[in-house]
Amino acid sequence: EAQVTQNPRYLITVTGKKLTVTCSQNMNHEYMSWYRQDPGLGLRQIYYSMNVEVTDKGDVPEGYKVSRKEKRNFPLILESPSPNQTSLYFCASRTGGNNEQFFGPGTRLTVL
Amino acid sequence: AQSVTQLGSHVSVSEGALVLLRCNYSSSVPPYLFWYVQYPNQGLQLLLKYTTGATLVKGINGFEAEFKKSETSFHLTKPSAHMSDAAEYFCAVRKGSGGSNYKLTFGKGTLLTVNP
């Protein structure tokens, strides 16, 4: 089944404790992206990647890092999480052209 | 830069009534336009998209949207609401040209409530 998977789905952590949210897709898509969703703000792009080893900042990259060492994986790294990073995070992927983005199921992160 | 405005953060309709969710965009180049739906505790699912060609596009679950360039709008409609349509709806825009124009810019969402 074609899908985007994220792990973990739920995470509660404390300020300053490094964490990684994994994202993997099995559709051989070139493009991958991370978004955060906050009430009243919709989805905002954090980082995106156009292919292996090619990444760029989105609208709200501060406090986040990403890497794209393999085509299928696009982990999101929070080196020192803060409470304002409490949010619902979505990973998405797509192939080139005008094809739709496929979204993962989301990761709900709470930073205390 | 592109942007999306969804008029009305919350829309409430009766079952069987017309659904109209409004979306206006700004884009310096011809846009690609999308509507996504998010059911409670789930990810986003594509409802429909406009890229080129026919300006009236039909999507899943009986929804359709019309691209009106003169009004910079892409409103979502459904003739008769069903209880299962209750969800949050997001309009999104991205640049229509190729290259690295990958970013989708989302509106803030409209929560649709369907009353029995």
Side-chain angles (χ1 to χ4, degrees):
Chain A
E1 178 189 356
Q3 60 182 350
V4 179
T5 57
Q6 296 179 226
N7 282 291
R9 294 289 312 280
Y10 302 90
L11 179 60
I12 300 174
T13 189
V14 295
T15 298
K17 185 177 181 181
K18 181 180 178 180
L19 66 92
T20 299
V21 183
T22 65
C23 172
S24 184
Q25 51 93 4
N26 62 1
M27 295 169 279
N28 201 35
H29 285 169
E30 295 88 0
Y31 296 91
M32 298 186 74
S33 188
W34 276 103
Y35 296 88
R36 61 177 288 173
Q37 182 182 17
D38 301 289
L41 296 178
L43 280 85
R44 293 176 293 168
Q45 190 181 56
I46 303 171
Y47 268 95
Y48 65 95
S49 170
M50 291 166 282
N51 216 321
V52 175
E53 302 290 3
V54 183
T55 63
D56 205 350
K57 296 177 180 178
D59 294 318
V60 288
E62 294 77 20
Y64 304 94
K65 286 175 56 178
V66 293
S67 69
R68 188 92 182 272
K69 292 181 168 50
E70 303 167 284
K71 197 172 186 179
R72 63 182 293 124
N73 296 323
F74 190 46
L76 179 69
I77 304 156
L78 285 73
E79 294 272 4
S80 182
S82 62
N84 65 12
Q85 293 178 296
T86 292
S87 188
L88 179 59
Y89 292 86
F90 288 101
C91 181
S93 75
R94 75 172 179 92
T95 187
N98 59 18
N99 293 331
E100 69 175 276
Q101 289 201 72
F102 290 84
F103 283 82
T107 294
R108 186 166 293 281
L109 172 66
T110 301
V111 183
L112 302 175
Chain B
Q2 56 226 32
S3 65
V4 177
T5 302
Q6 291 184 240
L7 299 176
S9 60
H10 188 190
V11 170
S12 183
V13 301
S14 299
E15 192 172 20
L18 171 71
V19 175
L20 171 60
L21 305 182
R22 299 177 187 273
C23 173
N24 289 88
Y25 70 91
S26 69
S27 178
S28 57
V29 297
Y32 290 172
L33 295 158
F34 305 81
W35 275 100
Y36 282 86
V37 60
Q38 185 180 32
Y39 297 104
N41 300 313
Q42 294 188 27
L44 279 77
Q45 179 182 3
L46 182 68
L47 267 181
L48 51 79
K49 64 181 179 183
Y50 168 79
T51 54
T52 58
T55 56
L56 181 63
V57 292
K58 296 185 184 299
I60 61 172
N61 301 336
F63 284 92
E64 63 182 37
E66 187 171 11
F67 169 58
K68 291 188 176 181
K69 185 178 178 180
S70 61
E71 298 178 9
T72 61
S73 69
F74 191 57
H75 302 329
L76 182 70
T77 60
K78 182 174 180 177
S80 177
H82 192 273
M83 297 294 289
S84 61
D85 294 327
E88 190 158 22
Y89 293 79
F90 293 93
C91 182
V93 63
R94 65 165 269 228
K95 291 180 183 179
S97 55
S100 63
N101 296 317
Y102 170 54
K103 187 175 79 170
L104 272 184
T105 299
F106 284 86
K108 295 183 178 181
T110 298
L111 182 65
L112 176 66
T113 301
V114 182
N115 304 308

